[in-house]
Amino acid sequence: MTNLMDRFELDRRKLLMERSVPGRIGVSLPPLDVPVAPMPDDSLLRHDLEMPEISESELVRYFAQISQFNFSIDHNFYPLGSCTMKYNPKVNDEFASLPGLAQIHPLQPESTIQGALKLLWRLQALLSGITGLPGVSLAPMAGADGELAGMLMIRAYHLDRGDDQRKSVLIPDSAHGTNPASAAMAGFDVVTLPSDSSGNTDLEALKAAADDNLAGLMITLPSTLGLFDTNILEVTRIVREAGGLVYGDGANLNAILGRVKLGSLGFDVVHSNLHKTFSTPHGGGGPGSGPVVAAERLAEYLPAPIAARIDDGDGHVRYGFDTPPKTVGKLGAFHGNFGSLARAYAYILAMGKEGVHQTSEDAVINANYILSQLRDDYDLPYDRGCMHEVVLSARTLKRRHGVSALDVCKRLIDYGIHPPTMYFPLIIEEALMIEPTETESKETLDHFIAVMKAIATEAKDEPELLHDAPHNTPNTRLDEARAARRPELRWRRASSS
Ligand SMILES: *Cc1c(COP(=O)(O)O)cnc(C)c1O
């Protein structure tokens, strides 16, 4: 019996080529109704290319089985900090798939896509309302793409005024890793600002660095510590007084939606990730959307194109595209990832004003609930309330029991929960960055908390168990460094030796 069960497990893990049986076939072709053509020259044929020979039902089973080895937010709790999938209602996928939205072509005459253009124009207005900044471009196709656009705008602004010595961009050490990369790509010198003992931007360091060479500050708000910088008004004032511009990374707007408008805090340019906060499921590299939103003085530099409402006179209104007078240019061939934009539009309208208000309330309460329940089992680097995510640390578990953040994360997989982001932000030792999101029920959070407590106890009582975790998955602990550096992406027949 047991042998047969083991056999089933082994079969389930077989790769496609290992399931191949010579001569087995999964399709039947209709009789030939065209003249027989000769095969290409033999030198063009690859005889070493092995193809699986497998029946149709076995092929279907193979893909269904490997899909179950996968993990997604549709399977269970997925508290990955910073880049979490927040609320992605399925109905928005359906909306974005409507033929009038999904089956149009960017080169179609504008007169035939008026509805889609109107959607873009209205979405711009909604994002402007949410951020309190007047200029919006939907062109960027990722958060980092929006950052690059915003930094190029800041550069163009200073150059336009003959301020070409303004080359330095200050970035707090609690910023997202893309921030310094984007500033450097836009040609700036990046200067890192330390965080103070409460996790805010260090004001003394900021004052010292805010000189005539200052181009601007790039700040992630809330920071990757999951904290709202309570000195933010002072921060933006210092930068502006020194002649710099303020860039806000608003990738995770679900923390402050409907609560605070970044424009009223002194920000000049902001991006937001529609594929985090506004309903596009993401992962595996796309699709994404990182619209960039700007204050009056930067709006003329926005990337093109911008959806526009054009009044033709005598009561005729149509929608088209505009190019801002001093645009930093185009970021792609067309106008962004339209499907993500359509989803964001549907999401914002469906949620409404009260809905987005509730989003931030629930996101912040859920994260603080986890903070309050786990603070005795894990280290809490900054003892204060958090925003949409909480950064804990496994520092003490590591020192006392040799159990690392990685071990804790791997053990979570055994309990059927996706690990949080770990070892990020870099300024926290053994970081565990947990974002429950606004959608999880109290029962789910309580279950997660109970599991995290159980793992902390296991770490003390049987640390070995954690070192080799996960134990219940098709693959156990992987050599991740080797998998990344020497990936084996292709099946090869095991050599006969
Ligand atoms: C995800 C994220 C980014 C980068 O967004 P991409 O779409 O992955 O380029 C930037 N900043 C913060 C705070 C993020 O969470």
Side-chain angles (χ1 to χ4, degrees):
M1 198 66 177
T2 316
N3 273 347
L4 284 178
M5 283 181 186
D6 290 349
R7 174 73 184 275
F8 169 71
E9 255 322 292
L10 283 177
D11 281 352
R12 225 158 59 99
R13 289 169 204 201
K14 273 189 180 165
L15 300 173
L16 195 53
M17 277 307 295
E18 292 163 355
R19 299 177 188 217
S20 177
V21 176
R24 194 157 286 173
I25 197 166
V27 288
S28 43
L29 297 174
L32 196 65
D33 59 355
V34 290
V36 176
M39 290 289 273
D41 186 286
D42 209 44
S43 65
L44 294 174
L45 294 176
R46 284 184 60 184
H47 296 290
D48 62 336
L49 189 64
E50 287 188 84
M51 300 294 278
E53 296 174 83
I54 192 161
S55 72
E56 180 179 353
S57 51
E58 281 163 1
L59 185 72
V60 170
R61 273 183 205 152
Y62 168 72
F63 283 112
Q65 284 168 2
I66 54 174
S67 78
Q68 289 166 355
F69 294 164
N70 216 338
F71 189 95
S72 82
I73 196 154
D74 291 340
H75 285 89
N76 207 348
F77 188 45
Y78 203 130
L80 189 73
S82 186
C83 295
T84 321
M85 294 231 228
K86 309 186 208 281
Y87 185 32
N88 298 155
K90 304 287 181 242
V91 67
N92 293 341
D93 290 339
E94 254 173 72
F95 172 75
S97 311
L98 291 174
L101 299 177
Q103 291 174 23
I104 53 178
H105 192 279
L107 292 178
Q108 227 169 294
E110 279 177 11
S111 63
T112 65
I113 49 164
Q114 284 295 301
L117 292 172
K118 186 172 179 182
L119 183 155
L120 297 181
W121 181 78
R122 283 191 171 178
L123 177 61
Q124 288 171 188
L126 289 170
L127 293 175
S128 170
I130 284 169
T131 54
L133 292 163
V136 183
S137 169
L138 303 173
M141 282 172 279
D145 207 19
E147 291 173 27
L148 177 64
M151 295 318 284
L152 290 173
M153 289 161 65
I154 290 179
R155 189 175 77 165
Y157 172 88
H158 289 306
L159 291 179
D160 232 12
R161 295 155 49 97
D163 262 353
D164 26 351
Q165 86 289 357
R166 291 194 178 271
K167 284 230 165 100
S168 76
V169 168
L170 307 179
I171 305 186
D173 59 9
S174 61
H176 193 266
T178 47
N179 294 181
S182 302
M185 264 185 91
F188 291 109
D189 301 326
V190 174
V191 179
T192 305
L193 290 180
S195 299
D196 67 17
S197 56
S198 57
N200 287 333
T201 305
D202 187 314
L203 289 179
E204 292 316 311
L206 172 62
K207 282 181 199 152
D211 57 19
D212 289 348
N213 298 322
L214 182 64
L217 169 92
M218 216 178 168
I219 187 166
T220 302
L221 194 72
S223 72
T224 62
L225 298 168
L227 302 176
F228 189 89
D229 193 319
T230 47
N231 293 329
I232 191 66
L233 289 173
E234 184 70 358
V235 168
T236 58
R237 189 186 60 75
I238 294 169
V239 174
R240 290 171 146 241
E241 274 176 11
L245 297 171
V246 186
Y247 185 101
D249 179 337
N252 301 293
L253 270 192
N254 66 331
I256 55 172
L257 265 184
R259 304 276 151 180
V260 61
K261 298 190 178 203
L262 293 177
S264 54
L265 300 179
F267 283 86
D268 294 287
V269 54
V270 166
H271 87 269
S272 182
N273 282 26
L274 302 187
H275 52 290
K276 287 177 187 167
T277 302
F278 296 98
S279 170
T280 285
H282 63 283
S289 182
V292 62
V293 188
E296 200 69 54
R297 59 173 168 167
L298 279 181
E300 57 186 347
Y301 302 99
L302 280 166
I306 311 269
R309 188 172 189 271
I310 301 155
D311 195 339
D312 284 335
D314 58 11
H316 262 273
V317 167
R318 65 187 166 88
Y319 296 87
F321 285 116
D322 230 1
T323 299
K326 297 178 177 173
T327 181
V328 294
K330 296 192 96 178
L331 297 168
F334 300 111
H335 21 69
N337 270 327
F338 184 75
S340 301
L341 302 172
R343 280 185 193 85
Y345 181 70
Y347 175 85
I348 296 170
L349 289 194
M351 297 295 278
K353 228 178 187 160
E354 286 96 56
V356 294
H357 206 255
Q358 173 125 29
T359 291
S360 51
E361 184 165 301
D362 292 348
V364 172
I365 288 176
N366 281 356
N368 278 284
Y369 181 57
I370 289 179
L371 182 160
S372 71
Q373 299 302 300
L374 290 180
R375 55 176 304 148
D376 296 333
D377 304 273
Y378 294 85
D379 299 280
L380 178 64
Y382 297 99
D383 192 358
R384 55 186 271 204
C386 64
M387 297 298 290
H388 62 300
E389 63 196 357
V390 54
V391 179
L392 299 174
S393 157
R395 190 177 51 200
T396 304
L397 288 187
K398 176 106 192 245
R399 295 220 174 115
R400 298 219 180 116
H401 313 289
V403 165
S404 65
L406 177 75
D407 295 333
V408 171
C409 286
K410 293 295 185 192
R411 186 62 178 152
L412 268 172
I413 298 173
D414 278 336
Y415 287 93
I417 293 175
H418 195 282
T421 298
M422 57 182 178
Y423 298 106
F424 182 78
L426 302 175
I427 51 177
I428 302 297
E429 202 186 324
E430 298 295 324
L432 292 164
M433 183 197 224
I434 301 163
E435 179 173 2
T437 80
E438 59 271 18
T439 42
E440 298 298 340
S441 66
K442 178 159 183 299
E443 290 78 11
T444 302
L445 300 184
D446 282 336
H447 175 67
F448 172 71
I449 289 160
V451 167
M452 286 293 282
K453 283 178 180 291
I455 292 176
T457 305
E458 287 174 351
K460 291 166 200 150
D461 299 344
E462 22 177 1
E464 282 316 313
L465 186 66
L466 274 70
H467 292 321
D468 324 323
H471 302 278
N472 307 335
T473 46
N475 286 309
T476 50
R477 186 75 67 105
L478 300 175
D479 181 345
E480 288 173 13
R482 205 173 130 232
R485 293 201 184 119
R486 292 176 48 204
E488 279 173 32
L489 304 176
R490 204 152 67 88
W491 179 84
R492 280 173 221 273
R493 182 172 294 288
S495 61
S496 46
S497 62

